[in-house]
Amino acid sequence: MSQSATTPANVDLEYTTSCALPTPWAQFTLHAFVEKSTGKEHLAMVLGDVGNGEPVLGRVHSECLTGDVLFSQRCDCGAQLEGALRKIAEEGRGILLYLRQEGRGIGLVNKIRAYRLQEAGADTVQANVQLGFQPDQRNYSMVQPMLAQFGVKSLRLMTNNPRKIDAVGKLGVAVAERVPLLVNRNAFNQHYLDTKAAKLGHMMTPLTPAPVEDGAL
């Protein structure tokens, strides 16, 4: 069973509107897109002049409600989101695409089902497979038209995922540099991060020992 994220050639994406979005780190401009074939709504957070031809510091972030909103420590997603926005704010220029692809593409309810399987002993890859999914079902084909909306042709991509780099490159977006985003290794996500490195090829080195925490699973 393939572990690669999918990159279909065509995506029916419509740009809709924008607004100012003040955050603790900078005031971004928030742009909304609708994938008409699925109804999914995707976002772009933009800071500064990203269309001047220079490689842009950016992140392609897949939605993780439990990590991004509910502060779950079972993953590193929320910390990656915050870390990426901080880095963009520090540079004064960059873009973050927020793609509505919960649970590596399996959806929120199925992700919770996967968590139950993980509590019974499965790892993050095994849990997805046991539910009948690929380890990674994400679709990155909307990335190119989203970036094209702002004139972005080259990224300094914040990621630890080589498959994401490959998928973005195949869409015709140059990845000028990979910027590591190693954050929030803890007692609750240690096995999850090690599994992503061992089974999905994520570049998680140098690994740091997880801290000992009261109530650690």
PDB file of all heavy atoms in Angstrom, residues 7-40:
ATOM      1  N   THR A   7      -1.284  13.605  -5.606  1.00  0.00           N
ATOM      2  CA  THR A   7      -1.166  14.900  -6.256  1.00  0.00           C
ATOM      3  C   THR A   7      -1.888  14.859  -7.597  1.00  0.00           C
ATOM      4  O   THR A   7      -1.258  14.840  -8.651  1.00  0.00           O
ATOM      5  CB  THR A   7       0.304  15.306  -6.468  1.00  0.00           C
ATOM      6  OG1 THR A   7       0.971  14.232  -7.163  1.00  0.00           O
ATOM      7  CG2 THR A   7       1.004  15.562  -5.170  1.00  0.00           C
ATOM      8  N   PRO A   8      -3.243  14.790  -7.613  1.00  0.00           N
ATOM      9  CA  PRO A   8      -3.975  14.805  -8.871  1.00  0.00           C
ATOM     10  C   PRO A   8      -3.648  16.041  -9.691  1.00  0.00           C
ATOM     11  O   PRO A   8      -3.355  17.104  -9.143  1.00  0.00           O
ATOM     12  CB  PRO A   8      -5.441  14.814  -8.419  1.00  0.00           C
ATOM     13  CG  PRO A   8      -5.418  14.255  -7.034  1.00  0.00           C
ATOM     14  CD  PRO A   8      -4.108  14.692  -6.445  1.00  0.00           C
ATOM     15  N   ALA A   9      -3.705  15.901 -11.012  1.00  0.00           N
ATOM     16  CA  ALA A   9      -3.266  16.979 -11.888  1.00  0.00           C
ATOM     17  C   ALA A   9      -4.212  18.170 -11.863  1.00  0.00           C
ATOM     18  O   ALA A   9      -3.791  19.304 -12.052  1.00  0.00           O
ATOM     19  CB  ALA A   9      -3.123  16.453 -13.313  1.00  0.00           C
ATOM     20  N   ASN A  10      -5.507  17.937 -11.640  1.00  0.00           N
ATOM     21  CA  ASN A  10      -6.479  19.019 -11.750  1.00  0.00           C
ATOM     22  C   ASN A  10      -7.201  19.242 -10.429  1.00  0.00           C
ATOM     23  O   ASN A  10      -7.546  18.303  -9.727  1.00  0.00           O
ATOM     24  CB  ASN A  10      -7.514  18.698 -12.831  1.00  0.00           C
ATOM     25  CG  ASN A  10      -6.868  18.520 -14.198  1.00  0.00           C
ATOM     26  OD1 ASN A  10      -6.117  19.373 -14.637  1.00  0.00           O
ATOM     27  ND2 ASN A  10      -7.140  17.400 -14.837  1.00  0.00           N
ATOM     28  N   VAL A  11      -7.417  20.495 -10.114  1.00  0.00           N
ATOM     29  CA  VAL A  11      -8.192  20.832  -8.926  1.00  0.00           C
ATOM     30  C   VAL A  11      -9.048  22.042  -9.264  1.00  0.00           C
ATOM     31  O   VAL A  11      -8.596  22.993  -9.912  1.00  0.00           O
ATOM     32  CB  VAL A  11      -7.284  21.110  -7.712  1.00  0.00           C
ATOM     33  CG1 VAL A  11      -6.359  22.284  -7.959  1.00  0.00           C
ATOM     34  CG2 VAL A  11      -8.113  21.338  -6.462  1.00  0.00           C
ATOM     35  N   ASP A  12     -10.297  22.017  -8.859  1.00  0.00           N
ATOM     36  CA  ASP A  12     -11.256  23.070  -9.187  1.00  0.00           C
ATOM     37  C   ASP A  12     -11.298  24.041  -8.015  1.00  0.00           C
ATOM     38  O   ASP A  12     -12.117  23.902  -7.112  1.00  0.00           O
ATOM     39  CB  ASP A  12     -12.621  22.430  -9.452  1.00  0.00           C
ATOM     40  CG  ASP A  12     -13.605  23.418 -10.048  1.00  0.00           C
ATOM     41  OD1 ASP A  12     -13.176  24.507 -10.457  1.00  0.00           O
ATOM     42  OD2 ASP A  12     -14.797  23.094 -10.079  1.00  0.00           O
ATOM     43  N   LEU A  13     -10.403  25.025  -8.040  1.00  0.00           N
ATOM     44  CA  LEU A  13     -10.225  25.912  -6.892  1.00  0.00           C
ATOM     45  C   LEU A  13     -10.670  27.318  -7.243  1.00  0.00           C
ATOM     46  O   LEU A  13     -10.325  27.843  -8.308  1.00  0.00           O
ATOM     47  CB  LEU A  13      -8.752  25.908  -6.473  1.00  0.00           C
ATOM     48  CG  LEU A  13      -8.435  26.467  -5.089  1.00  0.00           C
ATOM     49  CD1 LEU A  13      -8.962  25.539  -3.998  1.00  0.00           C
ATOM     50  CD2 LEU A  13      -6.936  26.666  -4.941  1.00  0.00           C
ATOM     51  N   GLU A  14     -11.426  27.934  -6.339  1.00  0.00           N
ATOM     52  CA  GLU A  14     -11.914  29.291  -6.562  1.00  0.00           C
ATOM     53  C   GLU A  14     -11.451  30.205  -5.438  1.00  0.00           C
ATOM     54  O   GLU A  14     -11.660  29.907  -4.256  1.00  0.00           O
ATOM     55  CB  GLU A  14     -13.447  29.297  -6.628  1.00  0.00           C
ATOM     56  CG  GLU A  14     -14.052  30.676  -6.832  1.00  0.00           C
ATOM     57  CD  GLU A  14     -15.566  30.666  -6.854  1.00  0.00           C
ATOM     58  OE1 GLU A  14     -16.151  29.645  -6.439  1.00  0.00           O
ATOM     59  OE2 GLU A  14     -16.162  31.677  -7.271  1.00  0.00           O
ATOM     60  N   TYR A  15     -10.823  31.312  -5.808  1.00  0.00           N
ATOM     61  CA  TYR A  15     -10.474  32.335  -4.822  1.00  0.00           C
ATOM     62  C   TYR A  15     -11.724  33.117  -4.479  1.00  0.00           C
ATOM     63  O   TYR A  15     -12.491  33.505  -5.366  1.00  0.00           O
ATOM     64  CB  TYR A  15      -9.403  33.271  -5.387  1.00  0.00           C
ATOM     65  CG  TYR A  15      -9.026  34.388  -4.443  1.00  0.00           C
ATOM     66  CD1 TYR A  15      -8.157  34.155  -3.397  1.00  0.00           C
ATOM     67  CD2 TYR A  15      -9.566  35.662  -4.591  1.00  0.00           C
ATOM     68  CE1 TYR A  15      -7.815  35.181  -2.517  1.00  0.00           C
ATOM     69  CE2 TYR A  15      -9.235  36.686  -3.721  1.00  0.00           C
ATOM     70  CZ  TYR A  15      -8.351  36.433  -2.684  1.00  0.00           C
ATOM     71  OH  TYR A  15      -8.024  37.436  -1.804  1.00  0.00           O
ATOM     72  N   THR A  16     -11.942  33.394  -3.186  1.00  0.00           N
ATOM     73  CA  THR A  16     -13.184  34.053  -2.794  1.00  0.00           C
ATOM     74  C   THR A  16     -12.977  35.449  -2.217  1.00  0.00           C
ATOM     75  O   THR A  16     -13.464  36.434  -2.780  1.00  0.00           O
ATOM     76  CB  THR A  16     -13.978  33.196  -1.790  1.00  0.00           C
ATOM     77  OG1 THR A  16     -13.178  32.959  -0.628  1.00  0.00           O
ATOM     78  CG2 THR A  16     -14.378  31.867  -2.422  1.00  0.00           C
ATOM     79  N   THR A  17     -12.245  35.581  -1.111  1.00  0.00           N
ATOM     80  CA  THR A  17     -12.164  36.886  -0.463  1.00  0.00           C
ATOM     81  C   THR A  17     -10.969  36.925   0.481  1.00  0.00           C
ATOM     82  O   THR A  17     -10.251  35.936   0.638  1.00  0.00           O
ATOM     83  CB  THR A  17     -13.466  37.182   0.310  1.00  0.00           C
ATOM     84  OG1 THR A  17     -13.467  38.544   0.749  1.00  0.00           O
ATOM     85  CG2 THR A  17     -13.626  36.254   1.511  1.00  0.00           C
ATOM     86  N   SER A  18     -10.757  38.077   1.138  1.00  0.00           N
ATOM     87  CA  SER A  18      -9.632  38.233   2.063  1.00  0.00           C
ATOM     88  C   SER A  18      -9.999  39.226   3.155  1.00  0.00           C
ATOM     89  O   SER A  18     -10.968  39.982   3.042  1.00  0.00           O
ATOM     90  CB  SER A  18      -8.384  38.716   1.322  1.00  0.00           C
ATOM     91  OG  SER A  18      -8.572  40.037   0.842  1.00  0.00           O
ATOM     92  N   CYS A  19      -9.191  39.187   4.229  1.00  0.00           N
ATOM     93  CA  CYS A  19      -9.362  40.151   5.316  1.00  0.00           C
ATOM     94  C   CYS A  19      -8.056  40.250   6.084  1.00  0.00           C
ATOM     95  O   CYS A  19      -7.161  39.411   5.935  1.00  0.00           O
ATOM     96  CB  CYS A  19     -10.493  39.730   6.263  1.00  0.00           C
ATOM     97  SG  CYS A  19     -10.116  38.240   7.226  1.00  0.00           S
ATOM     98  N   ALA A  20      -7.946  41.285   6.920  1.00  0.00           N
ATOM     99  CA  ALA A  20      -6.801  41.403   7.819  1.00  0.00           C
ATOM    100  C   ALA A  20      -6.956  40.399   8.956  1.00  0.00           C
ATOM    101  O   ALA A  20      -8.062  40.169   9.449  1.00  0.00           O
ATOM    102  CB  ALA A  20      -6.708  42.820   8.373  1.00  0.00           C
ATOM    103  N   LEU A  21      -5.839  39.790   9.358  1.00  0.00           N
ATOM    104  CA  LEU A  21      -5.863  38.835  10.466  1.00  0.00           C
ATOM    105  C   LEU A  21      -4.731  39.157  11.435  1.00  0.00           C
ATOM    106  O   LEU A  21      -3.593  38.707  11.264  1.00  0.00           O
ATOM    107  CB  LEU A  21      -5.727  37.400   9.952  1.00  0.00           C
ATOM    108  CG  LEU A  21      -5.864  36.334  11.049  1.00  0.00           C
ATOM    109  CD1 LEU A  21      -7.317  36.237  11.524  1.00  0.00           C
ATOM    110  CD2 LEU A  21      -5.390  34.980  10.545  1.00  0.00           C
ATOM    111  N   PRO A  22      -5.013  39.956  12.471  1.00  0.00           N
ATOM    112  CA  PRO A  22      -3.986  40.215  13.483  1.00  0.00           C
ATOM    113  C   PRO A  22      -3.753  38.972  14.325  1.00  0.00           C
ATOM    114  O   PRO A  22      -4.703  38.301  14.738  1.00  0.00           O
ATOM    115  CB  PRO A  22      -4.592  41.354  14.316  1.00  0.00           C
ATOM    116  CG  PRO A  22      -6.074  41.264  14.084  1.00  0.00           C
ATOM    117  CD  PRO A  22      -6.269  40.679  12.728  1.00  0.00           C
ATOM    118  N   THR A  23      -2.502  38.637  14.544  1.00  0.00           N
ATOM    119  CA  THR A  23      -2.113  37.490  15.370  1.00  0.00           C
ATOM    120  C   THR A  23      -1.130  37.971  16.430  1.00  0.00           C
ATOM    121  O   THR A  23      -0.691  39.126  16.389  1.00  0.00           O
ATOM    122  CB  THR A  23      -1.440  36.394  14.513  1.00  0.00           C
ATOM    123  OG1 THR A  23      -0.102  36.814  14.173  1.00  0.00           O
ATOM    124  CG2 THR A  23      -2.245  36.097  13.248  1.00  0.00           C
ATOM    125  N   PRO A  24      -0.759  37.122  17.387  1.00  0.00           N
ATOM    126  CA  PRO A  24       0.220  37.558  18.385  1.00  0.00           C
ATOM    127  C   PRO A  24       1.582  37.911  17.796  1.00  0.00           C
ATOM    128  O   PRO A  24       2.391  38.553  18.477  1.00  0.00           O
ATOM    129  CB  PRO A  24       0.332  36.338  19.309  1.00  0.00           C
ATOM    130  CG  PRO A  24      -0.965  35.616  19.149  1.00  0.00           C
ATOM    131  CD  PRO A  24      -1.327  35.802  17.708  1.00  0.00           C
ATOM    132  N   TRP A  25       1.849  37.520  16.540  1.00  0.00           N
ATOM    133  CA  TRP A  25       3.190  37.688  15.979  1.00  0.00           C
ATOM    134  C   TRP A  25       3.248  38.741  14.885  1.00  0.00           C
ATOM    135  O   TRP A  25       4.264  39.389  14.713  1.00  0.00           O
ATOM    136  CB  TRP A  25       3.691  36.335  15.451  1.00  0.00           C
ATOM    137  CG  TRP A  25       3.435  35.272  16.452  1.00  0.00           C
ATOM    138  CD1 TRP A  25       4.122  35.065  17.631  1.00  0.00           C
ATOM    139  CD2 TRP A  25       2.390  34.302  16.441  1.00  0.00           C
ATOM    140  NE1 TRP A  25       3.561  34.034  18.338  1.00  0.00           N
ATOM    141  CE2 TRP A  25       2.496  33.533  17.631  1.00  0.00           C
ATOM    142  CE3 TRP A  25       1.376  33.985  15.533  1.00  0.00           C
ATOM    143  CZ2 TRP A  25       1.627  32.482  17.930  1.00  0.00           C
ATOM    144  CZ3 TRP A  25       0.506  32.945  15.824  1.00  0.00           C
ATOM    145  CH2 TRP A  25       0.640  32.217  17.015  1.00  0.00           C
ATOM    146  N   ALA A  26       2.166  38.924  14.140  1.00  0.00           N
ATOM    147  CA  ALA A  26       2.126  39.909  13.063  1.00  0.00           C
ATOM    148  C   ALA A  26       0.698  40.003  12.562  1.00  0.00           C
ATOM    149  O   ALA A  26      -0.132  39.136  12.863  1.00  0.00           O
ATOM    150  CB  ALA A  26       3.056  39.507  11.913  1.00  0.00           C
ATOM    151  N   GLN A  27       0.420  41.037  11.786  1.00  0.00           N
ATOM    152  CA  GLN A  27      -0.883  41.127  11.129  1.00  0.00           C
ATOM    153  C   GLN A  27      -0.739  40.558   9.721  1.00  0.00           C
ATOM    154  O   GLN A  27      -0.113  41.155   8.853  1.00  0.00           O
ATOM    155  CB  GLN A  27      -1.400  42.558  11.074  1.00  0.00           C
ATOM    156  CG  GLN A  27      -2.754  42.653  10.361  1.00  0.00           C
ATOM    157  CD  GLN A  27      -3.476  43.950  10.616  1.00  0.00           C
ATOM    158  OE1 GLN A  27      -3.853  44.262  11.747  1.00  0.00           O
ATOM    159  NE2 GLN A  27      -3.700  44.733   9.559  1.00  0.00           N
ATOM    160  N   PHE A  28      -1.335  39.403   9.506  1.00  0.00           N
ATOM    161  CA  PHE A  28      -1.331  38.746   8.211  1.00  0.00           C
ATOM    162  C   PHE A  28      -2.558  39.187   7.423  1.00  0.00           C
ATOM    163  O   PHE A  28      -3.503  39.758   7.961  1.00  0.00           O
ATOM    164  CB  PHE A  28      -1.379  37.223   8.388  1.00  0.00           C
ATOM    165  CG  PHE A  28      -0.139  36.618   8.966  1.00  0.00           C
ATOM    166  CD1 PHE A  28       0.117  36.669  10.341  1.00  0.00           C
ATOM    167  CD2 PHE A  28       0.783  35.976   8.150  1.00  0.00           C
ATOM    168  CE1 PHE A  28       1.259  36.102  10.881  1.00  0.00           C
ATOM    169  CE2 PHE A  28       1.927  35.410   8.684  1.00  0.00           C
ATOM    170  CZ  PHE A  28       2.175  35.467  10.045  1.00  0.00           C
ATOM    171  N   THR A  29      -2.545  38.901   6.122  1.00  0.00           N
ATOM    172  CA  THR A  29      -3.761  38.968   5.322  1.00  0.00           C
ATOM    173  C   THR A  29      -4.234  37.548   5.093  1.00  0.00           C
ATOM    174  O   THR A  29      -3.469  36.690   4.628  1.00  0.00           O
ATOM    175  CB  THR A  29      -3.524  39.665   3.975  1.00  0.00           C
ATOM    176  OG1 THR A  29      -3.009  40.983   4.205  1.00  0.00           O
ATOM    177  CG2 THR A  29      -4.832  39.779   3.195  1.00  0.00           C
ATOM    178  N   LEU A  30      -5.483  37.294   5.463  1.00  0.00           N
ATOM    179  CA  LEU A  30      -6.065  35.962   5.345  1.00  0.00           C
ATOM    180  C   LEU A  30      -6.894  35.882   4.064  1.00  0.00           C
ATOM    181  O   LEU A  30      -7.779  36.707   3.834  1.00  0.00           O
ATOM    182  CB  LEU A  30      -6.949  35.674   6.559  1.00  0.00           C
ATOM    183  CG  LEU A  30      -7.616  34.295   6.619  1.00  0.00           C
ATOM    184  CD1 LEU A  30      -6.563  33.200   6.781  1.00  0.00           C
ATOM    185  CD2 LEU A  30      -8.622  34.240   7.761  1.00  0.00           C
ATOM    186  N   HIS A  31      -6.591  34.884   3.232  1.00  0.00           N
ATOM    187  CA  HIS A  31      -7.277  34.702   1.956  1.00  0.00           C
ATOM    188  C   HIS A  31      -8.005  33.365   1.972  1.00  0.00           C
ATOM    189  O   HIS A  31      -7.479  32.363   2.465  1.00  0.00           O
ATOM    190  CB  HIS A  31      -6.275  34.712   0.805  1.00  0.00           C
ATOM    191  CG  HIS A  31      -5.469  35.970   0.710  1.00  0.00           C
ATOM    192  ND1 HIS A  31      -5.824  37.025  -0.101  1.00  0.00           N
ATOM    193  CD2 HIS A  31      -4.313  36.334   1.341  1.00  0.00           C
ATOM    194  CE1 HIS A  31      -4.929  37.984   0.013  1.00  0.00           C
ATOM    195  NE2 HIS A  31      -4.003  37.599   0.880  1.00  0.00           N
ATOM    196  N   ALA A  32      -9.210  33.332   1.403  1.00  0.00           N
ATOM    197  CA  ALA A  32     -10.033  32.127   1.411  1.00  0.00           C
ATOM    198  C   ALA A  32     -10.214  31.586  -0.006  1.00  0.00           C
ATOM    199  O   ALA A  32     -10.413  32.351  -0.961  1.00  0.00           O
ATOM    200  CB  ALA A  32     -11.401  32.416   2.027  1.00  0.00           C
ATOM    201  N   PHE A  33     -10.154  30.270  -0.108  1.00  0.00           N
ATOM    202  CA  PHE A  33     -10.357  29.552  -1.361  1.00  0.00           C
ATOM    203  C   PHE A  33     -11.394  28.454  -1.121  1.00  0.00           C
ATOM    204  O   PHE A  33     -11.491  27.919  -0.016  1.00  0.00           O
ATOM    205  CB  PHE A  33      -9.068  28.888  -1.840  1.00  0.00           C
ATOM    206  CG  PHE A  33      -7.936  29.829  -2.158  1.00  0.00           C
ATOM    207  CD1 PHE A  33      -7.168  30.390  -1.145  1.00  0.00           C
ATOM    208  CD2 PHE A  33      -7.630  30.145  -3.474  1.00  0.00           C
ATOM    209  CE1 PHE A  33      -6.118  31.252  -1.439  1.00  0.00           C
ATOM    210  CE2 PHE A  33      -6.581  30.998  -3.776  1.00  0.00           C
ATOM    211  CZ  PHE A  33      -5.832  31.552  -2.759  1.00  0.00           C
ATOM    212  N   VAL A  34     -12.116  28.081  -2.167  1.00  0.00           N
ATOM    213  CA  VAL A  34     -13.059  26.972  -2.091  1.00  0.00           C
ATOM    214  C   VAL A  34     -12.717  25.963  -3.177  1.00  0.00           C
ATOM    215  O   VAL A  34     -12.586  26.324  -4.354  1.00  0.00           O
ATOM    216  CB  VAL A  34     -14.519  27.436  -2.254  1.00  0.00           C
ATOM    217  CG1 VAL A  34     -15.461  26.228  -2.269  1.00  0.00           C
ATOM    218  CG2 VAL A  34     -14.907  28.391  -1.138  1.00  0.00           C
ATOM    219  N   GLU A  35     -12.548  24.712  -2.761  1.00  0.00           N
ATOM    220  CA  GLU A  35     -12.356  23.611  -3.698  1.00  0.00           C
ATOM    221  C   GLU A  35     -13.755  23.156  -4.108  1.00  0.00           C
ATOM    222  O   GLU A  35     -14.448  22.479  -3.351  1.00  0.00           O
ATOM    223  CB  GLU A  35     -11.576  22.489  -3.001  1.00  0.00           C
ATOM    224  CG  GLU A  35     -11.072  21.416  -3.908  1.00  0.00           C
ATOM    225  CD  GLU A  35     -10.269  20.386  -3.139  1.00  0.00           C
ATOM    226  OE1 GLU A  35      -9.918  20.615  -1.960  1.00  0.00           O
ATOM    227  OE2 GLU A  35     -10.009  19.324  -3.735  1.00  0.00           O
ATOM    228  N   LYS A  36     -14.190  23.553  -5.298  1.00  0.00           N
ATOM    229  CA  LYS A  36     -15.596  23.403  -5.680  1.00  0.00           C
ATOM    230  C   LYS A  36     -16.026  21.945  -5.808  1.00  0.00           C
ATOM    231  O   LYS A  36     -17.180  21.614  -5.554  1.00  0.00           O
ATOM    232  CB  LYS A  36     -15.858  24.169  -6.974  1.00  0.00           C
ATOM    233  CG  LYS A  36     -15.780  25.686  -6.792  1.00  0.00           C
ATOM    234  CD  LYS A  36     -16.258  26.432  -8.013  1.00  0.00           C
ATOM    235  CE  LYS A  36     -15.264  26.341  -9.142  1.00  0.00           C
ATOM    236  NZ  LYS A  36     -15.670  27.187 -10.301  1.00  0.00           N
ATOM    237  N   SER A  37     -15.113  21.071  -6.178  1.00  0.00           N
ATOM    238  CA  SER A  37     -15.491  19.668  -6.354  1.00  0.00           C
ATOM    239  C   SER A  37     -15.802  18.982  -5.028  1.00  0.00           C
ATOM    240  O   SER A  37     -16.542  17.997  -4.998  1.00  0.00           O
ATOM    241  CB  SER A  37     -14.374  18.908  -7.080  1.00  0.00           C
ATOM    242  OG  SER A  37     -13.175  18.980  -6.331  1.00  0.00           O
ATOM    243  N   THR A  38     -15.241  19.487  -3.926  1.00  0.00           N
ATOM    244  CA  THR A  38     -15.451  18.867  -2.621  1.00  0.00           C
ATOM    245  C   THR A  38     -16.148  19.783  -1.623  1.00  0.00           C
ATOM    246  O   THR A  38     -16.649  19.316  -0.600  1.00  0.00           O
ATOM    247  CB  THR A  38     -14.106  18.442  -1.999  1.00  0.00           C
ATOM    248  OG1 THR A  38     -13.313  19.624  -1.750  1.00  0.00           O
ATOM    249  CG2 THR A  38     -13.345  17.501  -2.926  1.00  0.00           C
ATOM    250  N   GLY A  39     -16.158  21.083  -1.894  1.00  0.00           N
ATOM    251  CA  GLY A  39     -16.701  22.041  -0.947  1.00  0.00           C
ATOM    252  C   GLY A  39     -15.734  22.421   0.159  1.00  0.00           C
ATOM    253  O   GLY A  39     -16.065  23.230   1.026  1.00  0.00           O
ATOM    254  N   LYS A  40     -14.535  21.865   0.148  1.00  0.00           N
ATOM    255  CA  LYS A  40     -13.566  22.176   1.193  1.00  0.00           C
ATOM    256  C   LYS A  40     -13.057  23.608   1.040  1.00  0.00           C
ATOM    257  O   LYS A  40     -12.829  24.095  -0.070  1.00  0.00           O
ATOM    258  CB  LYS A  40     -12.388  21.206   1.144  1.00  0.00           C
ATOM    259  CG  LYS A  40     -12.723  19.814   1.629  1.00  0.00           C
ATOM    260  CD  LYS A  40     -11.476  18.940   1.669  1.00  0.00           C
ATOM    261  CE  LYS A  40     -11.794  17.557   2.227  1.00  0.00           C
ATOM    262  NZ  LYS A  40     -10.593  16.696   2.265  1.00  0.00           N
TER     263      LYS A  40
END
